[in-house]
Amino acid sequence: MAAYLIKRLLLIFPTMLGIMLISFTVVQFAPGGPVERVIAQLTGTDVSATARVGGGGGDGLGQAGQSQLGQGTADAVSSKYRGAQGLDPEFIKSLEKQFGFDKPAHERFFLMLKNYLVFDFGSSYFRDISVLQLIKEKLPVSISLGLWMTLLTYLIAIPLGIRKAVHDGEAFDSWTSGFLVIGYAVPGFLVAVLLLIVFAGSSFFQWFPSRGLTSDNFDELSMFGQIVDYFWHLTLPLIALGLGAFTTMAFLTKNSFLDEIRKQYVLTARAKGLTENQVLYGHVFRNAMLLIIAGFPATFISAFFTGSLLIETIFSLDGIGLLSFESIINRDYPVVFATLYIFSLLGLVVNLVSDFVYTLVDPRIDFESREV
């Protein structure tokens, strides 16, 4: 197992290199960019999803950029950037230098890799803050949603799936399947809006808060009060996020257990006089859980980093999902590449941990005997 883990660890480097190279190459051909975004804001043509009328104080343009308006003359040099006519070419060059586009693409790529190896992600283009500090500020929301959703998914879906397998074809299996399918079919953001209207609005009930992760007086509460307040705010977002995850995990667990229950060793165990619980949890459980463990990395990563954009927006939760979306829209490349690098690296490590857990669950598995 040690040799296999070392091979997998070494494969992380070329894998990450490929991910970053492909992403960097795609970005080079993508329309728009930070320079174009600044030009659009200066000329009043910014129509991006995050554009704000009358803004400008927090976009990192400064008074020098604003002063460039109206300085274009008839002999101004035509710029390679769309909408830059009328702006001083020297100002355009200063923008390129500010964003690092005065260097060739290959030089920028290798400089980025060199910095990322020591987790130096630089600063945001349009926010006066380092990328790591920005991610650190958004992590509490994503950690809260991701970890609790993953925990609840496994605690609820696995026992439910086992019970559905034991009572396959019976009334319990039928009505729970119907409920799970409906929950899976309804988009999470629609559930979130419905929950807000019913349980956090003025029309019906005001049982839960409609925004934020904590109350305004959170620091003034006792420790017990802070815990209650924290979960009070998390209840509705977790319900909206969890319905689809419960469905997938419950059916995966059910089908995995059904496959094992129908095997010959289960009949042999029952013939020896073992009780149903002894057969189910002493023999079937370990084999059936292998497939569940295999799905853990994907479940964890998806719960932690994806699928939360609309939920974060609806419940006014400023987390990683919203940050990534705004960074892509605003062409804030340091944030885009930093989040991609961190998430990809974490995903590869979690998959490696999953393989290691495989061997703990079933020592018969030998990864070293197969090709990596």
Side-chain angles (χ1 to χ4, degrees), residues 119-138:
F119 291 92
D120 178 10
F121 302 109
S123 299
S124 168
Y125 282 162
F126 302 104
R127 310 179 193 220
D128 188 20
I129 187 175
S130 69
V131 174
L132 276 179
Q133 182 64 32
L134 186 60
I135 294 175
K136 182 180 178 182
E137 290 179 359
K138 311 298 182 182

Side-chain angles (χ1 to χ4, degrees), residues 35-344:
V35 176
E36 287 91 335
R37 173 158 169 74
V38 172
I39 291 173
Q41 289 179 334
L42 290 175
T43 57
T45 59
D46 184 17
V47 292
S48 66
T50 57
R52 289 176 173 82
V53 178
D59 290 324
L61 301 179
Q63 295 299 322
Q66 300 291 344
S67 66
Q68 297 299 323
L69 287 174
Q71 291 184 7
T73 59
D75 59 349
V77 179
S78 179
S79 172
K80 63 181 179 180
Y81 298 106
R82 184 179 60 181
Q85 291 78 10
L87 295 179
D88 188 351
E90 292 300 322
F91 173 66
I92 302 299
K93 291 181 180 179
S94 69
L95 281 180
E96 291 181 330
K97 184 175 181 180
Q98 175 184 344
F99 295 126
F101 293 113
D102 56 331
K103 301 181 179 65
H106 69 276
E107 185 176 337
R108 286 187 279 119
F109 176 71
F110 286 111
L111 179 61
M112 180 183 70
L113 289 184
K114 177 183 175 182
N115 293 333
Y116 281 16
L117 286 176
V118 294
F119 291 92
D120 178 10
F121 302 109
S123 299
S124 168
Y125 282 162
F126 302 104
R127 310 179 193 220
D128 188 20
I129 187 175
S130 69
V131 174
L132 276 179
Q133 182 64 32
L134 186 60
I135 294 175
K136 182 180 178 182
E137 290 179 359
K138 311 298 182 182
L139 269 180
V141 171
S142 295
I143 289 176
S144 297
L145 291 176
L147 290 183
W148 287 114
M149 178 182 163
T150 303
L151 179 63
L152 288 174
T153 298
Y154 275 78
L155 288 179
I156 296 175
I158 291 178
L160 177 60
I162 295 174
R163 184 171 176 82
K164 286 174 64 63
V166 173
H167 298 280
D168 182 40
E170 298 180 7
F172 175 81
D173 180 42
S174 299
W175 71 261
T176 53
S177 294
F179 175 79
L180 289 172
V181 170
I182 293 174
Y184 185 78
V186 178
F189 71 90
L190 288 182
V191 177
V193 172
L194 177 63
L195 291 175
L196 274 180
I197 294 174
V198 176
F199 298 107
S202 57
S203 302
F204 296 93
F205 308 101
Q206 293 184 349
W207 293 350
F208 297 95
S210 61
R211 57 184 295 119
L213 193 61
T214 57
S215 300
D216 294 336
N217 63 336
F218 182 78
D219 294 332
E220 302 173 4
L221 300 175
S222 64
M223 180 176 294
F224 178 76
Q226 289 180 343
I227 294 174
V228 172
D229 182 77
Y230 172 72
F231 285 105
W232 185 44
H233 282 75
L234 275 179
T235 301
L236 296 186
L238 287 178
I239 293 175
L241 275 172
L243 291 180
F246 292 156
T247 301
T248 303
M249 184 59 63
F251 280 114
L252 180 64
T253 304
K254 174 191 173 182
N255 293 333
S256 180
F257 270 79
L258 282 178
D259 288 341
E260 294 297 323
I261 289 174
R262 294 164 180 168
K263 290 183 178 179
Q264 183 62 41
Y265 74 89
V266 175
L267 296 177
T268 303
R270 287 171 176 167
K272 292 181 178 179
L274 296 180
T275 64
E276 195 63 26
N277 283 338
Q278 288 176 326
V279 172
L280 190 63
Y281 296 103
H283 295 271
V284 175
F285 184 82
R286 185 175 67 176
N287 296 325
M289 284 300 294
L290 288 175
L291 189 58
I292 310 303
I293 293 173
F296 174 77
T299 303
F300 179 82
I301 295 299
S302 62
F304 198 68
F305 299 120
T306 63
S308 59
L309 168 61
L310 292 176
I311 302 299
E312 289 180 9
T313 303
I314 292 171
F315 289 100
S316 299
L317 300 172
D318 193 7
I320 293 293
L322 188 58
L323 171 65
S324 300
F325 173 75
E326 290 183 345
S327 300
I328 294 172
I329 294 298
N330 295 328
R331 303 300 193 268
D332 198 347
Y333 293 149
V335 179
V336 172
F337 285 122
T339 52
L340 173 66
Y341 180 85
I342 294 173
F343 299 168
S344 299

